[in-house]
Amino acid sequence: MQTATAIYGFPDAATAFEQRHPAFNERMGNFERAITIAFVRTQNMTSPADRFVYFFGTLIAEDFMEIFLVSVNGYGAAAMKLLRTMYEQTVTLRYLNDHPDEVQDFLDFNAVQLQKLIKPIEETFGTKVLSDELKEEQRKKFEAVKNRFMVKSCKSKTCDEMRLSHTWSKLDFVSMAKKAGHIGTLIVPGYFIPLRHAHPTLGSLSGRVEIVGDRMEFKSEHQPDMADQALMTAHNCVLIALEIQAERFNIEGLREAIDVCVRDWRDIWSSGWVIPGENP
């Protein structure tokens, strides 16, 4: 017995996307081939940096698929929210691939984040929700690394007060992006503009309302322009993630596959903020 499968989404938005970007569907086979070469394979990895680059690259490829799904259905604001995360991860991947001596800091900071999480968990769910054994084990992991993440709590040269940093790196994110090569040139479309949609700001609201006569109304229709901008930037990010795989692992056939995908990017988008691998 066959049962009907429910289709979720907006066929009219998907059709409009194909009409705006007919080359996208035509070239997806090339993109899929590059993704497969990069991530569907067996790799002997001997260092934390190798494992980080491989698995974080895979994560970025998955992020792209999520953004693609909402973009073709016209959810531009949703695509922007997802793009901010993807962009931050791509910058982090690029930076740590170039600075592998800092990968362990990135990994060890997880113990700090988990320690900070215990208090709100207990405040929300009660002090008995976590076992004493689990909390003691986590405390030991935290104590083993916390001194590496202590920073001054004031800017004075004579200040001796210290506090835990909110991040694993001594660089703020924007500074890290500037040190991460070409991906840093996407800081506005990949970070600052999506930030307006990811946080509760007037900017996140103003683009979704309109004045009709003497009334203010919420715009429920699709946001194709915003969706296209987010997807174009995400497409750029995933190509950079693929390039990093080729740099670190020297995978047979990957660089040639990436070259094809970069040409496809040009044909699909025709124009954009940054062409992958080139200065703007």
Short mmCIF file of all heavy atoms in Angstrom, two decimals, residues 91 171-180 184 187 191-192:
data_model
loop_
_atom_site.label_atom_id
_atom_site.label_comp_id
_atom_site.label_asym_id
_atom_site.label_seq_id
_atom_site.Cartn_x
_atom_site.Cartn_y
_atom_site.Cartn_z
N VAL A 91 34.96 31.31 9.65
CA VAL A 91 36.10 32.13 10.10
C VAL A 91 36.95 31.34 11.08
O VAL A 91 38.19 31.33 10.99
CB VAL A 91 35.61 33.44 10.75
CG1 VAL A 91 36.74 34.13 11.51
CG2 VAL A 91 35.04 34.37 9.69
N LEU A 171 41.61 36.97 20.78
CA LEU A 171 41.09 37.89 19.77
C LEU A 171 39.58 37.96 19.87
O LEU A 171 38.91 36.96 20.09
CB LEU A 171 41.47 37.41 18.37
CG LEU A 171 42.94 37.39 17.98
CD1 LEU A 171 43.11 36.73 16.62
CD2 LEU A 171 43.51 38.81 17.95
N ASP A 172 39.01 39.16 19.67
CA ASP A 172 37.57 39.25 19.48
C ASP A 172 37.26 38.74 18.07
O ASP A 172 38.16 38.60 17.23
CB ASP A 172 37.07 40.68 19.67
CG ASP A 172 37.67 41.64 18.64
OD1 ASP A 172 37.13 41.71 17.53
OD2 ASP A 172 38.69 42.29 18.95
N PHE A 173 35.98 38.45 17.80
CA PHE A 173 35.65 37.79 16.54
C PHE A 173 36.02 38.63 15.32
O PHE A 173 36.54 38.10 14.33
CB PHE A 173 34.17 37.42 16.49
CG PHE A 173 33.78 36.76 15.20
CD1 PHE A 173 34.14 35.45 14.95
CD2 PHE A 173 33.13 37.48 14.21
CE1 PHE A 173 33.84 34.85 13.73
CE2 PHE A 173 32.82 36.88 12.99
CZ PHE A 173 33.17 35.56 12.77
N VAL A 174 35.73 39.92 15.35
CA VAL A 174 36.02 40.76 14.19
C VAL A 174 37.51 40.78 13.90
O VAL A 174 37.94 40.70 12.74
CB VAL A 174 35.47 42.18 14.41
CG1 VAL A 174 35.90 43.11 13.26
CG2 VAL A 174 33.95 42.16 14.52
N SER A 175 38.33 40.85 14.96
CA SER A 175 39.79 40.82 14.76
C SER A 175 40.23 39.48 14.18
O SER A 175 41.13 39.43 13.33
CB SER A 175 40.50 41.07 16.09
OG SER A 175 40.19 42.34 16.60
N MET A 176 39.60 38.40 14.65
CA MET A 176 39.92 37.09 14.11
C MET A 176 39.57 37.00 12.62
O MET A 176 40.34 36.47 11.80
CB MET A 176 39.17 35.98 14.87
CG MET A 176 39.51 34.58 14.40
SD MET A 176 38.61 33.31 15.30
CE MET A 176 39.32 33.52 16.94
N ALA A 177 38.42 37.56 12.26
CA ALA A 177 38.01 37.54 10.85
C ALA A 177 39.01 38.28 9.98
O ALA A 177 39.33 37.86 8.86
CB ALA A 177 36.62 38.15 10.70
N LYS A 178 39.54 39.39 10.48
CA LYS A 178 40.51 40.16 9.72
C LYS A 178 41.81 39.39 9.50
O LYS A 178 42.52 39.62 8.52
CB LYS A 178 40.80 41.48 10.42
CG LYS A 178 39.64 42.46 10.40
CD LYS A 178 39.96 43.73 11.16
CE LYS A 178 38.80 44.71 11.13
NZ LYS A 178 39.08 45.95 11.88
N LYS A 179 42.12 38.47 10.42
CA LYS A 179 43.33 37.67 10.31
C LYS A 179 43.09 36.37 9.53
O LYS A 179 44.03 35.59 9.36
CB LYS A 179 43.86 37.34 11.71
CG LYS A 179 44.47 38.52 12.45
CD LYS A 179 44.97 38.10 13.81
CE LYS A 179 45.71 39.23 14.52
NZ LYS A 179 46.99 39.55 13.88
N ALA A 180 41.86 36.14 9.11
CA ALA A 180 41.50 34.85 8.50
C ALA A 180 41.48 34.89 6.98
O ALA A 180 40.88 34.01 6.35
CB ALA A 180 40.15 34.39 9.04
N GLY A 184 37.43 37.11 5.75
CA GLY A 184 37.24 38.33 6.52
C GLY A 184 36.59 39.45 5.73
O GLY A 184 35.96 40.35 6.31
N ILE A 187 32.71 40.10 6.22
CA ILE A 187 32.27 40.38 7.58
C ILE A 187 30.93 41.11 7.61
O ILE A 187 30.11 40.88 8.51
CB ILE A 187 33.35 41.20 8.34
CG1 ILE A 187 33.02 41.29 9.84
CG2 ILE A 187 33.53 42.58 7.73
CD1 ILE A 187 33.24 40.05 10.61
N TYR A 191 28.22 38.59 8.79
CA TYR A 191 28.16 38.73 10.24
C TYR A 191 27.30 39.90 10.70
O TYR A 191 26.31 39.71 11.42
CB TYR A 191 29.58 38.89 10.78
CG TYR A 191 29.67 39.02 12.28
CD1 TYR A 191 29.49 37.92 13.10
CD2 TYR A 191 29.94 40.26 12.87
CE1 TYR A 191 29.58 38.04 14.49
CE2 TYR A 191 30.03 40.38 14.25
CZ TYR A 191 29.85 39.27 15.06
OH TYR A 191 29.92 39.39 16.42
N PHE A 192 27.63 41.12 10.26
CA PHE A 192 26.93 42.28 10.79
C PHE A 192 25.47 42.36 10.34
O PHE A 192 24.57 42.66 11.15
CB PHE A 192 27.67 43.57 10.42
CG PHE A 192 28.92 43.78 11.23
CD1 PHE A 192 30.17 43.76 10.62
CD2 PHE A 192 28.85 43.99 12.60
CE1 PHE A 192 31.32 43.95 11.36
CE2 PHE A 192 30.01 44.17 13.34
CZ PHE A 192 31.24 44.16 12.73
#
